[in-house]
Amino acid sequence: MSEACARQASGAADCPCTYPGCPRHGNCCQCVAHHRAKDQLPACYFTAEQEKSFDRSVAFFLSCRKG
Ligand code: SF4
């Protein structure tokens, strides 16, 4: 369960994540902790197109950065 955050509403306004129903949406501390524990990165590390895949893995992030 995510902890309450006084800045969650303003965080949500800036959050590019389109995953539906996430209780951490806009709660950046909880978002980072959640994904870091799974060896992943938050949606805001990806482009809008990449983010839509919902693949938050570090491996996917690095594959996107290879050029
Ligand atoms: S990146 Fe993950 S934790 Fe963060 S708002 Fe999106 S689905 Fe939730």
Coordinates of all heavy atoms in Angstrom, one line a residue:
M1 N 0.8 -1.2 0.0 CA 0.0 0.0 0.0 C 0.9 1.2 0.0 O 1.9 1.3 0.7 CB -0.9 0.0 1.2 CG -1.7 1.3 1.4 SD -3.1 1.2 2.4 CE -4.1 0.0 1.7
S2 N 0.5 2.2 -0.8 CA 1.4 3.4 -0.8 C 1.0 4.4 0.3 O -0.1 4.4 0.8 CB 1.2 4.1 -2.2 OG -0.1 4.6 -2.3
E3 N 2.0 5.1 0.7 CA 1.8 6.1 1.8 C 1.3 7.4 1.2 O 1.5 7.7 0.1 CB 3.1 6.4 2.5 CG 3.7 5.2 3.3 CD 5.0 5.5 3.9 OE1 5.3 6.6 4.2 OE2 5.8 4.5 4.0
A4 N 0.5 8.2 2.0 CA -0.1 9.4 1.5 C 1.1 10.4 1.3 O 2.1 10.4 1.9 CB -1.0 10.0 2.6
C5 N 0.9 11.3 0.3 CA 1.9 12.3 -0.1 C 1.1 13.6 -0.3 O 0.2 13.7 -1.1 CB 2.6 11.9 -1.4 SG 3.7 13.1 -2.0
A6 N 1.6 14.7 0.4 CA 1.0 16.0 0.3 C 1.1 16.5 -1.1 O 0.3 17.4 -1.5 CB 1.6 16.9 1.3
R7 N 2.1 16.1 -1.9 CA 2.3 16.6 -3.2 C 1.8 15.7 -4.3 O 2.1 15.9 -5.5 CB 3.9 16.8 -3.4 CG 4.5 17.8 -2.4 CD 5.9 17.9 -2.6 NE 6.2 18.3 -4.0 CZ 7.0 19.4 -4.3 NH1 7.5 20.1 -3.3 NH2 7.2 19.7 -5.5
Q8 N 1.0 14.7 -4.0 CA 0.6 13.7 -4.9 C -0.2 14.3 -6.1 O 0.0 13.9 -7.2 CB -0.2 12.6 -4.3 CG -0.5 11.4 -5.3 CD -0.7 10.1 -4.6 OE1 -0.7 10.0 -3.4 NE2 -0.9 9.0 -5.4
A9 N -1.1 15.3 -5.8 CA -1.9 15.9 -6.8 C -1.0 16.6 -7.9 O -1.2 16.5 -9.1 CB -2.9 16.8 -6.2
S10 N 0.0 17.4 -7.4 CA 0.9 18.1 -8.3 C 1.8 17.1 -9.0 O 2.1 17.3 -10.2 CB 1.7 19.2 -7.6 OG 2.5 18.6 -6.6
G11 N 2.2 16.1 -8.3 CA 3.0 15.0 -9.0 C 2.2 14.4 -10.1 O 2.7 14.1 -11.2
A12 N 0.9 14.1 -9.8 CA 0.1 13.5 -10.9 C 0.0 14.3 -12.1 O -0.1 13.8 -13.2 CB -1.3 13.1 -10.3
A13 N -0.1 15.6 -11.9 CA -0.2 16.5 -13.0 C 1.0 16.5 -14.0 O 0.9 16.7 -15.2 CB -0.4 18.0 -12.6
D14 N 2.1 16.1 -13.4 CA 3.4 16.0 -14.2 C 3.7 14.6 -14.7 O 4.6 14.4 -15.4 CB 4.6 16.6 -13.4 CG 4.5 18.1 -13.2 OD1 3.9 18.7 -14.0 OD2 5.0 18.5 -12.2
C15 N 3.0 13.6 -14.1 CA 3.3 12.2 -14.4 C 2.9 11.8 -15.7 O 1.7 11.9 -16.1 CB 2.7 11.3 -13.3 SG 3.0 9.6 -13.5
P16 N 3.8 11.2 -16.5 CA 3.4 10.8 -17.9 C 2.9 9.3 -17.9 O 2.6 8.8 -19.0 CB 4.8 10.8 -18.6 CG 5.8 10.5 -17.6 CD 5.2 11.1 -16.3
C17 N 2.8 8.7 -16.8 CA 2.4 7.2 -16.8 C 1.0 7.1 -17.2 O 0.1 7.8 -16.7 CB 2.7 6.7 -15.4 SG 2.3 4.9 -15.3
T18 N 0.7 6.1 -18.1 CA -0.7 5.9 -18.5 C -1.2 4.5 -18.0 O -2.3 4.1 -18.4 CB -0.7 5.9 -20.1 OG1 0.1 4.8 -20.6 CG2 -0.3 7.2 -20.6
Y19 N -0.4 3.9 -17.1 CA -0.9 2.6 -16.5 C -2.2 2.9 -15.6 O -2.1 3.7 -14.7 CB 0.2 2.0 -15.7 CG -0.2 0.6 -15.2 CD1 0.0 -0.5 -16.1 CD2 -0.6 0.3 -14.0 CE1 -0.3 -1.8 -15.7 CE2 -1.0 -1.0 -13.6 CZ -0.8 -2.0 -14.5 OH -1.1 -3.3 -14.1
P20 N -3.3 2.3 -15.9 CA -4.5 2.6 -15.2 C -4.6 2.0 -13.8 O -4.2 0.9 -13.5 CB -5.6 2.0 -16.1 CG -4.9 0.9 -16.8 CD -3.5 1.3 -17.0
G21 N -5.2 2.9 -12.9 CA -5.5 2.4 -11.6 C -4.3 2.3 -10.6 O -4.5 1.7 -9.5
C22 N -3.2 2.8 -10.9 CA -2.0 2.7 -10.0 C -2.2 3.7 -8.8 O -2.3 4.9 -9.0 CB -0.7 3.0 -10.7 SG 0.7 3.0 -9.6
P23 N -2.1 3.2 -7.6 CA -2.3 4.1 -6.4 C -1.1 5.0 -6.2 O -1.1 5.9 -5.4 CB -2.5 3.1 -5.3 CG -1.7 1.8 -5.7 CD -1.9 1.8 -7.2
R24 N 0.1 4.7 -6.9 CA 1.3 5.5 -6.7 C 1.3 6.7 -7.7 O 2.3 7.4 -7.7 CB 2.5 4.6 -6.8 CG 2.7 3.6 -5.7 CD 3.7 2.6 -6.0 NE 3.3 1.7 -7.1 CZ 2.5 0.6 -6.9 NH1 2.1 0.3 -5.6 NH2 2.1 -0.1 -7.9
H25 N 0.4 6.8 -8.6 CA 0.4 7.8 -9.6 C 0.5 9.2 -9.0 O -0.3 9.6 -8.2 CB -0.9 7.7 -10.4 CG -0.8 8.6 -11.7 ND1 -1.6 9.7 -11.8 CD2 -0.1 8.4 -12.8 CE1 -1.3 10.3 -13.0 NE2 -0.4 9.5 -13.6
G26 N 1.6 9.9 -9.2 CA 1.9 11.2 -8.7 C 2.7 11.1 -7.3 O 3.1 12.2 -6.9
N27 N 2.8 10.0 -6.8 CA 3.6 9.8 -5.5 C 4.9 9.3 -5.9 O 5.2 8.1 -6.0 CB 2.9 8.8 -4.6 CG 3.5 8.8 -3.2 OD1 4.7 8.9 -3.1 ND2 2.7 8.5 -2.2
C28 N 5.8 10.2 -6.3 CA 7.1 9.8 -7.0 C 8.0 9.0 -6.0 O 8.6 8.0 -6.5 CB 7.8 11.1 -7.4 SG 6.8 12.1 -8.5
C29 N 8.0 9.2 -4.7 CA 8.8 8.4 -3.8 C 8.4 7.0 -3.8 O 9.2 6.1 -3.9 CB 8.7 9.0 -2.4 SG 9.3 10.7 -2.2
Q30 N 7.1 6.8 -3.8 CA 6.6 5.4 -3.8 C 6.7 4.8 -5.1 O 7.0 3.6 -5.2 CB 5.1 5.4 -3.3 CG 4.9 5.7 -1.9 CD 5.6 4.7 -1.0 OE1 5.4 3.5 -1.1 NE2 6.4 5.2 0.0
C31 N 6.6 5.5 -6.2 CA 6.7 5.0 -7.5 C 8.2 4.5 -7.8 O 8.4 3.4 -8.2 CB 6.4 6.1 -8.5 SG 6.6 5.7 -10.2
V32 N 9.2 5.3 -7.4 CA 10.6 4.9 -7.5 C 10.8 3.7 -6.7 O 11.5 2.7 -7.2 CB 11.5 6.1 -7.2 CG1 12.9 5.6 -7.1 CG2 11.4 7.2 -8.2
A33 N 10.4 3.7 -5.4 CA 10.7 2.5 -4.6 C 10.1 1.3 -5.1 O 10.7 0.2 -5.1 CB 10.1 2.8 -3.2
H34 N 8.8 1.4 -5.6 CA 8.1 0.2 -6.2 C 8.9 -0.4 -7.3 O 9.1 -1.6 -7.4 CB 6.7 0.7 -6.6 CG 6.0 -0.4 -7.3 ND1 5.3 -1.4 -6.7 CD2 5.7 -0.5 -8.7 CE1 4.7 -2.2 -7.6 NE2 4.9 -1.7 -8.8
H35 N 9.3 0.5 -8.3 CA 10.0 0.0 -9.5 C 11.4 -0.4 -9.2 O 11.9 -1.4 -9.7 CB 9.9 1.0 -10.6 CG 8.5 1.0 -11.2 ND1 8.0 -0.1 -11.9 CD2 7.5 1.9 -11.1 CE1 6.7 0.2 -12.3 NE2 6.4 1.4 -11.8
R36 N 12.1 0.3 -8.3 CA 13.5 0.0 -8.0 C 13.6 -1.4 -7.4 O 14.5 -2.2 -7.7 CB 14.1 1.0 -7.0 CG 15.5 0.8 -6.7 CD 16.1 1.8 -5.7 NE 15.3 1.8 -4.5 CZ 15.1 2.8 -3.7 NH1 15.6 4.0 -4.0 NH2 14.4 2.7 -2.6
A37 N 12.6 -1.8 -6.6 CA 12.6 -3.1 -5.9 C 12.4 -4.2 -7.0 O 12.7 -5.4 -6.7 CB 11.4 -3.2 -4.9
K38 N 11.9 -3.9 -8.1 CA 11.7 -4.9 -9.2 C 12.8 -4.7 -10.3 O 12.6 -5.3 -11.4 CB 10.3 -4.7 -9.8 CG 9.2 -4.9 -8.8 CD 7.9 -4.3 -9.3 CE 6.9 -5.5 -9.5 NZ 5.7 -5.0 -10.1
D39 N 13.8 -4.0 -10.0 CA 14.9 -3.7 -11.0 C 14.3 -3.0 -12.2 O 14.6 -3.4 -13.4 CB 15.6 -5.0 -11.4 CG 17.0 -4.7 -12.0 OD1 17.6 -3.7 -11.7 OD2 17.5 -5.6 -12.7
Q40 N 13.4 -2.0 -12.0 CA 12.8 -1.3 -13.0 C 12.9 0.2 -12.8 O 13.5 0.6 -11.8 CB 11.2 -1.6 -13.0 CG 10.9 -3.1 -13.3 CD 9.4 -3.4 -13.1 OE1 8.7 -2.6 -12.5 NE2 9.0 -4.5 -13.7
L41 N 12.5 1.0 -13.8 CA 12.5 2.4 -13.7 C 11.0 3.0 -13.8 O 10.2 2.3 -14.5 CB 13.3 3.0 -14.8 CG 14.8 2.7 -14.7 CD1 15.5 3.0 -16.0 CD2 15.5 3.6 -13.6
P42 N 10.7 4.1 -13.3 CA 9.4 4.7 -13.4 C 9.1 5.1 -14.9 O 10.0 5.3 -15.7 CB 9.5 6.0 -12.6 CG 10.6 5.8 -11.6 CD 11.6 4.9 -12.4
A43 N 7.9 5.3 -15.2 CA 7.4 5.7 -16.5 C 8.1 6.9 -17.1 O 8.4 7.0 -18.3 CB 5.9 5.9 -16.5
C44 N 8.5 7.8 -16.2 CA 9.0 9.1 -16.7 C 10.4 9.0 -17.2 O 11.0 10.0 -17.8 CB 9.0 10.1 -15.6 SG 9.8 9.6 -14.0
Y45 N 11.0 7.8 -17.2 CA 12.3 7.6 -17.8 C 12.2 7.2 -19.3 O 13.2 7.1 -20.0 CB 13.1 6.5 -17.1 CG 13.9 7.0 -15.9 CD1 13.2 7.3 -14.7 CD2 15.3 7.2 -16.0 CE1 13.9 7.8 -13.6 CE2 16.0 7.7 -14.9 CZ 15.3 8.0 -13.7 OH 16.0 8.5 -12.6
F46 N 11.0 7.0 -19.7 CA 10.7 6.5 -21.1 C 10.0 7.5 -21.9 O 9.3 8.4 -21.4 CB 9.9 5.2 -21.0 CG 10.5 4.1 -20.3 CD1 10.3 3.9 -18.9 CD2 11.3 3.2 -20.9 CE1 10.9 2.9 -18.2 CE2 12.0 2.1 -20.2 CZ 11.8 2.0 -18.8
T47 N 10.1 7.4 -23.2 CA 9.4 8.3 -24.1 C 7.9 7.9 -24.0 O 7.6 6.8 -23.5 CB 9.8 8.2 -25.6 OG1 9.5 6.8 -26.0 CG2 11.3 8.4 -25.7
A48 N 7.0 8.7 -24.5 CA 5.6 8.4 -24.5 C 5.3 7.1 -25.2 O 4.5 6.3 -24.7 CB 4.8 9.6 -25.1
E49 N 6.0 6.9 -26.3 CA 5.7 5.6 -27.1 C 6.2 4.4 -26.3 O 5.5 3.4 -26.2 CB 6.4 5.7 -28.4 CG 5.8 4.8 -29.5 CD 4.3 5.1 -29.7 OE1 3.8 6.2 -29.7 OE2 3.6 4.1 -29.9
Q50 N 7.4 4.5 -25.7 CA 8.0 3.4 -24.9 C 7.2 3.1 -23.7 O 6.9 2.0 -23.3 CB 9.4 3.7 -24.5 CG 10.4 3.9 -25.7 CD 11.7 4.6 -25.3 OE1 11.8 5.1 -24.2 NE2 12.6 4.7 -26.3
E51 N 6.7 4.2 -23.1 CA 5.9 4.1 -21.8 C 4.7 3.3 -22.0 O 4.3 2.5 -21.1 CB 5.6 5.5 -21.3 CG 4.9 5.5 -20.0 CD 3.4 5.3 -20.1 OE1 2.8 5.7 -21.1 OE2 2.9 4.6 -19.2
K52 N 4.1 3.4 -23.2 CA 2.8 2.7 -23.5 C 3.0 1.1 -23.4 O 2.0 0.4 -23.3 CB 2.3 3.1 -24.8 CG 1.7 4.5 -24.9 CD 1.2 4.7 -26.3 CE 1.0 6.2 -26.5 NZ 0.9 6.5 -28.0
S53 N 4.2 0.7 -23.5 CA 4.4 -0.8 -23.5 C 4.3 -1.3 -22.1 O 4.1 -2.5 -21.9 CB 5.9 -1.1 -24.0 OG 6.8 -0.7 -23.0
F54 N 4.3 -0.5 -21.1 CA 4.3 -0.8 -19.7 C 5.5 -1.7 -19.3 O 5.5 -2.3 -18.2 CB 3.0 -1.5 -19.3 CG 1.8 -0.6 -19.5 CD1 0.5 -1.2 -19.9 CD2 1.8 0.8 -19.2 CE1 -0.6 -0.4 -20.1 CE2 0.7 1.6 -19.4 CZ -0.5 1.0 -19.8
D55 N 6.5 -1.8 -20.1 CA 7.7 -2.5 -19.8 C 8.6 -1.5 -19.1 O 9.2 -0.6 -19.7 CB 8.4 -3.1 -21.0 CG 9.6 -4.0 -20.7 OD1 10.1 -3.9 -19.5 OD2 10.1 -4.7 -21.6
R56 N 8.8 -1.6 -17.8 CA 9.6 -0.7 -17.0 C 10.9 -1.3 -16.7 O 11.6 -0.7 -15.8 CB 8.8 -0.3 -15.7 CG 7.4 0.1 -15.8 CD 7.3 1.5 -16.4 NE 5.9 2.0 -16.3 CZ 5.2 2.4 -17.3 NH1 5.7 2.3 -18.5 NH2 4.0 2.8 -17.2
S57 N 11.3 -2.4 -17.3 CA 12.6 -3.0 -16.9 C 13.8 -2.2 -17.3 O 13.8 -1.4 -18.3 CB 12.7 -4.4 -17.6 OG 12.8 -4.3 -19.0
V58 N 14.9 -2.3 -16.5 CA 16.1 -1.6 -16.8 C 16.6 -2.2 -18.2 O 17.1 -1.4 -19.0 CB 17.2 -1.9 -15.7 CG1 18.5 -1.4 -16.2 CG2 16.7 -1.2 -14.5
A59 N 16.4 -3.4 -18.5 CA 16.9 -4.0 -19.7 C 16.2 -3.3 -20.9 O 16.8 -3.0 -21.9 CB 16.6 -5.5 -19.8
F60 N 14.9 -3.1 -20.8 CA 14.2 -2.4 -21.9 C 14.6 -0.9 -22.0 O 14.9 -0.4 -23.1 CB 12.6 -2.4 -21.6 CG 11.8 -1.7 -22.6 CD1 11.9 -2.1 -24.0 CD2 11.0 -0.7 -22.3 CE1 11.1 -1.4 -25.0 CE2 10.2 0.0 -23.3 CZ 10.3 -0.4 -24.6
F61 N 14.9 -0.3 -20.8 CA 15.4 1.1 -20.9 C 16.7 1.1 -21.6 O 16.9 2.0 -22.5 CB 15.6 1.6 -19.4 CG 16.2 2.9 -19.3 CD1 15.5 4.1 -19.6 CD2 17.6 3.0 -19.0 CE1 16.2 5.3 -19.5 CE2 18.2 4.3 -18.9 CZ 17.5 5.4 -19.2
L62 N 17.6 0.2 -21.3 CA 18.9 0.2 -21.9 C 18.8 -0.1 -23.4 O 19.5 0.5 -24.2 CB 19.9 -0.8 -21.2 CG 20.3 -0.4 -19.8 CD1 21.1 -1.5 -19.2 CD2 21.1 0.9 -19.8
S63 N 17.9 -1.0 -23.8 CA 17.7 -1.3 -25.2 C 17.2 -0.1 -26.0 O 17.5 0.1 -27.1 CB 16.8 -2.5 -25.4 OG 15.4 -2.2 -25.1
C64 N 16.4 0.7 -25.3 CA 15.9 1.9 -26.0 C 17.0 2.9 -26.2 O 16.9 3.8 -27.0 CB 14.8 2.5 -25.1 SG 13.3 1.5 -25.1
R65 N 18.0 2.9 -25.3 CA 19.1 3.9 -25.4 C 20.2 3.5 -26.3 O 21.0 4.3 -26.7 CB 19.7 4.1 -24.0 CG 18.8 4.8 -23.0 CD 18.5 6.2 -23.5 NE 17.6 6.9 -22.7 CZ 17.9 8.0 -22.0 NH1 19.1 8.4 -21.9 NH2 17.0 8.6 -21.3
K66 N 20.2 2.3 -26.8 CA 21.2 1.8 -27.8 C 20.9 2.4 -29.1 O 19.8 2.4 -29.6 CB 21.3 0.3 -27.9 CG 21.9 -0.3 -26.7 CD 22.0 -1.8 -26.8 CE 22.6 -2.4 -25.6 NZ 22.3 -3.9 -25.5
G67 N 21.9 3.0 -29.7 CA 21.5 3.6 -31.0 C 22.5 3.2 -32.0 O 22.6 3.5 -33.1
Ligands
SF4_1 S1 5.4 4.2 -13.2 FE1 4.6 2.5 -12.1 S2 4.3 3.1 -9.9 FE2 4.7 4.9 -11.2 S3 2.6 5.7 -11.6 FE3 3.2 4.4 -13.3 S4 2.4 2.3 -12.8 FE4 2.4 3.6 -10.9

